[in-house]
Amino acid sequence: MGRNNKESPAYLGIDTSIKGLKMGLFGEEGSLLASYIDYQNPASYSLSLALEVLLKAYNLKLEDIKSYMVIKGPGSFTGLKVGISFVKGLTLATNRPIISINTLKALALSAISSTSIGEGNIISLIPALRGVHFFAYFCLRKGLLEEISYGLGKPEVKESAFIATIEKFEGHRSLDSKHLIFSNGPHLESWGREAVILFKKGMVEDPILLEPWYGRDIEIQKLVKP
C-alpha cells in the first residue's frame, strides 16, 4: 500500500473491472493518497480487507468519505457485479453520493497521464471475443478529453491515433510509442482525479439505478453523446 500524509483523504475509488482489485483514497483535489492493489485474488476476497486497511491507515470512518467512485465497465462480468454491489452498499449505508466512469474512458485517461500526448485522437479497446472489441473514440484538445463515440465490433483504427488497450492490438501498425498497453486495467490515479472533477460538477449517480455497464449493443445504442 502506498501512502502520502500531506493531504487529508476525502474520496474512495474502486476498480474491479479488469483484474483483481484496485482501491484508493483521494484528496480534495483528486490526488491519490493511498492505494491497495491485489491482482492475485478475486475482488470478492479482498474488497472488505482493502477497505479496512485504507481506513485504518488514516484513522477514518466510512462517514468521513465524501463520495465513492467506481469503474462501471465493460470488463469482467463477475468483477463488475461484485465491485458495484459493494460500492452501492457503502453509499446506501452512509448516504454518500457515488460517481461512475466507464473503463474505456478510464483507459484513455491513463494514456494521457502516461505519455506526452498533448493533443490528438485516442482509441480505447477492450477485447470481447473472436476479434471483436468494445471500443471508444476520444479527442484530446487543450487538455480536455471529448467522448466521440462508443461501439462493439471491429473498430477502424487510424495510424495517427493513440491506442489504449489491455492487450496487444494486432490491427495497429504504428510505432510502439502510440500503442499503450495497460494489462492490469486503467491507472487508479488517472480516472480517480477525473471522478473527483465530476463530483464537484454535481454529476453523481443514483445508487439504486447504477448497474454494471457490460458494453452490449443495446447499452451502447442508449449511450448519449456529449
Side-chain angles (χ1 to χ4, degrees):
M1 183 186 76
R3 179 174 172 179
N4 181 335
N5 287 313
K6 295 181 180 180
E7 194 176 351
S8 298
Y11 309 94
L12 181 77
I14 295 175
D15 179 10
T16 57
S17 63
I18 300 298
K19 186 178 182 181
L21 166 70
K22 293 187 284 292
M23 183 184 292
L25 284 172
F26 295 82
E28 288 285 357
E29 300 306 315
S31 56
L32 180 62
L33 305 181
S35 62
Y36 186 106
I37 297 175
D38 185 356
Y39 294 134
Q40 304 301 318
N41 298 296
S44 57
Y45 173 86
S46 48
L47 272 165
S48 295
L49 173 62
L51 179 62
E52 181 181 355
V53 168
L54 289 176
L55 293 179
K56 187 174 181 180
Y58 278 91
N59 195 27
L60 296 174
K61 297 179 180 179
L62 281 178
E63 292 75 14
D64 297 321
I65 302 298
K66 280 189 175 182
S67 176
Y68 300 102
M69 314 180 302
V70 67
I71 294 291
K72 65 179 179 181
S76 163
F77 180 90
T78 302
L80 291 172
K81 204 74 174 177
V82 169
I84 289 183
S85 295
F86 186 80
V87 174
K88 288 173 70 171
L90 293 178
T91 193
L92 290 171
T94 58
N95 197 30
R96 296 292 188 267
I98 185 170
I99 307 292
S100 72
I101 290 183
N102 72 71
T103 320
L104 293 162
K105 184 176 182 180
L107 286 172
L109 292 166
S110 295
I112 293 169
S113 66
S114 300
T115 65
S116 55
I117 292 176
E119 291 191 351
N121 298 316
I122 303 171
I123 303 174
S124 295
L125 300 165
I126 298 175
L129 52 93
R130 298 177 185 174
V132 174
H133 288 75
F134 304 110
F135 61 89
Y137 297 101
F138 301 91
C139 181
L140 179 63
R141 292 286 183 271
K142 297 181 179 180
L144 298 176
L145 185 66
E146 178 185 359
E147 299 172 67
I148 305 300
S149 63
Y150 289 80
L152 173 61
K154 296 184 178 181
E156 178 183 351
V157 178
K158 295 182 178 180
E159 295 300 313
S160 60
F162 285 83
I163 303 296
T165 183
I166 62 172
E167 64 179 32
K168 183 72 174 177
F169 180 58
E170 300 300 334
H172 195 242
R173 292 175 292 184
S174 65
L175 299 175
D176 287 343
S177 60
K178 288 189 175 182
H179 193 168
L180 307 168
I181 302 174
F182 303 96
S183 58
N184 293 322
H187 290 170
L188 190 62
E189 59 272 24
S190 302
W191 69 264
R193 188 180 297 273
E194 176 72 7
V196 170
I197 293 172
L198 294 177
F199 168 76
K200 291 182 177 181
K201 291 181 178 179
M203 300 175 68
V204 301
E205 302 271 359
D206 184 332
I208 301 297
L209 300 178
L210 178 62
E211 296 292 340
W213 188 65
Y214 295 117
R216 295 170 293 204
D217 273 338
I218 189 170
E219 294 174 317
I220 290 172
Q221 290 166 10
K222 290 181 178 180
L223 191 66
V224 177
K225 295 181 182 179

